[in-house]
Amino acid sequence: RSPKRRSKAGRRSRSPRGRRSRSPHAAAVRVKQERDDHCRRGNEERKQRYPSEQEHRRERSGDRDRHRDHSDRRKNSSERPGARGHERERDVQNIREQQAEREFYNERRREHRQNNEGSGGDQNPELRQSDSKPKEKAPVNKEKPSFELSGALLEDTNTFRGVVIKYSEPPEARIPKKRWRLYPFKNDEFLPVMYIHRQSAYLLGRHRRIADIPIDHPSCSKQHAVFQYRLVEYTRADGTVGRRVRPYIIDLGSGNGTFLNNQRIEPQRYYELKEKDVLKFGFSSREYVLLHESSDKSEANAKDDDDEEEKEEESDS
């Protein structure tokens, strides 16, 4: 081997790593001593760097002690029987002063009232009597209870799709057995037929959300009129009384009115409709002709119609 390698080997043998392996206990003791020295040095440096923090802590602790002493003194002073008695006497004295002041002002009010009454009675006793008379005579008019219909219940119950309907069906409303139809015409132009026999009533108007038969002309109201079927009584040829379902029209107080055979009808009133009647609404040019399924036959078959009405009567009864 070369001398250089020997020197390196010798250095390795003399290294602290080799020493540590030879004596582990001595190395542990040395590490512990170094750690303690490091902690001691750090504390000394911290004390030297931040002396103001330690002073601030001492001052804060001193302030806390002073505050505790002050609070203890106050507690002790309030717990003394003499202090409590003094406070009680002060409260009693304040109450007496308030009562005396109240009595003084009450006496002044009484004197002022007596002076006013005396002066008023001496000067004009007639006025005093006249003032007292209407008080005795004036009766209190109590409001009498009203048992009339307010309409609030009807508004709550007669609502369709969030809209309050102005009209409610009568108790005699019925669905007809005869198949009535409306034939609309616009300036001699034939429009699709409307079948109006599936319900007991049809609302006509401009409000498409609730109208059964919409009328889009601007002169018509949102709820313009109602086509209603009613069960009514009639007298037969032999003098007996029967019942049948007949169509009616009622105007709901529209602005431009409803016309039956070119005559304006009164609002809020039922008008009986007959076969081949013509209806118009507002200023609309459309005309609605009322017919039924057997209208194309000759008018001589009136007996058949009477038989159908008797069947309707039996089914309703």
Side-chain angles (χ1 to χ4, degrees), residues 275-276 291-292 294-305:
E275 187 182 354
K276 299 179 182 179
L291 299 172
H292 55 78
S294 58
S295 295
D296 55 345
K297 298 178 181 179
S298 61
E299 296 180 358
N301 296 331
K303 294 181 180 179
D304 297 338
D305 295 342

Side-chain angles (χ1 to χ4, degrees), residues 108-125:
R108 284 188 64 181
R109 287 195 200 96
R110 283 193 214 103
E111 292 175 0
H112 185 65
R113 202 180 299 132
Q114 289 174 1
N115 292 332
N116 290 336
E117 288 177 358
S119 61
D122 296 337
Q123 288 176 3
N124 47 1

Side-chain angles (χ1 to χ4, degrees), residues 35-281:
R35 195 182 299 159
D36 294 340
D37 294 339
H38 182 68
C39 293
R40 200 178 299 113
R41 280 191 220 114
N43 290 332
E44 290 175 359
E45 289 176 0
R46 205 175 293 117
K47 288 176 184 179
Q48 291 175 3
R49 286 180 190 172
Y50 308 104
S52 59
E53 288 186 4
Q54 294 179 358
E55 292 175 1
H56 183 62
R57 288 176 186 170
R58 288 172 191 165
E59 289 177 0
R60 286 182 66 184
S61 61
D63 293 339
R64 286 177 196 155
D65 296 337
R66 281 191 222 105
H67 184 67
R68 284 176 193 162
D69 295 338
H70 183 65
S71 60
D72 293 339
R73 284 174 196 163
R74 286 186 66 183
K75 286 180 183 178
N76 294 331
S77 64
S78 62
E79 288 175 359
R80 291 174 188 171
R84 286 186 181 176
H86 184 65
E87 291 177 359
R88 200 172 295 156
E89 289 176 2
R90 194 186 304 153
D91 295 339
V92 172
Q93 188 176 358
N94 291 334
I95 292 168
R96 286 175 184 169
E97 290 177 357
Q98 290 175 2
Q99 288 177 353
E101 189 175 356
R102 205 175 292 133
E103 290 176 359
F104 173 72
Y105 282 114
N106 289 336
E107 288 177 2
R108 284 188 64 181
R109 287 195 200 96
R110 283 193 214 103
E111 292 175 0
H112 185 65
R113 202 180 299 132
Q114 289 174 1
N115 292 332
N116 290 336
E117 288 177 358
S119 61
D122 296 337
Q123 288 176 3
N124 47 1
E126 294 179 359
L127 290 174
R128 195 174 170 191
Q129 289 178 0
S130 64
D131 292 339
S132 62
K133 282 181 181 178
K135 290 182 181 176
E136 295 175 357
K137 288 183 179 180
V140 179
N141 293 326
K142 293 184 179 180
E143 187 177 355
K144 296 181 180 180
S146 176
F147 299 101
E148 295 180 359
L149 296 175
S150 63
L153 185 62
L154 182 63
E155 288 183 0
D156 292 339
T157 55
N158 201 19
T159 303
F160 181 67
R161 294 182 180 175
V163 181
V164 178
I165 308 299
K166 294 181 181 179
Y167 175 79
S168 58
E169 291 192 61
E172 67 271 13
R174 297 290 188 278
I175 297 175
K177 299 294 181 182
K178 191 180 291 185
R179 296 183 178 182
W180 291 93
R181 300 165 186 174
L182 278 177
Y183 291 83
F185 295 89
K186 183 179 180 182
N187 298 328
D188 297 332
E189 180 185 353
F190 182 73
L191 299 176
V193 181
M194 297 179 182
Y195 298 91
I196 53 171
H197 63 276
R198 298 182 179 90
Q199 297 175 193
S200 59
Y202 288 85
L203 178 63
L204 298 95
R206 199 160 38 86
H207 203 310
R208 280 187 164 267
R209 192 173 182 182
I210 57 173
D212 300 307
I213 300 175
I215 306 172
D216 296 330
H217 199 271
S219 64
C220 298
S221 302
K222 291 183 178 179
Q223 300 182 38
H224 195 98
V226 172
F227 191 90
Q228 178 71 59
Y229 292 104
R230 300 171 64 197
L231 182 65
V232 293
E233 294 181 352
Y234 73 103
T235 305
R236 297 190 184 95
D238 56 355
T240 58
V241 177
R243 293 190 303 172
R244 61 186 176 185
V245 178
R246 298 295 299 169
Y248 286 81
I249 189 73
I250 180 172
D251 185 86
L252 300 180
S254 60
N256 297 313
T258 302
F259 297 86
L260 174 59
N261 298 326
N262 294 325
Q263 291 184 357
R264 184 166 180 172
I265 63 175
E266 295 181 8
Q268 306 297 336
R269 180 182 169 188
Y270 287 108
Y271 285 82
E272 185 177 354
L273 299 177
K274 297 177 182 178
E275 187 182 354
K276 299 179 182 179
D277 280 346
V278 180
L279 294 170
K280 288 184 70 175
F281 304 98

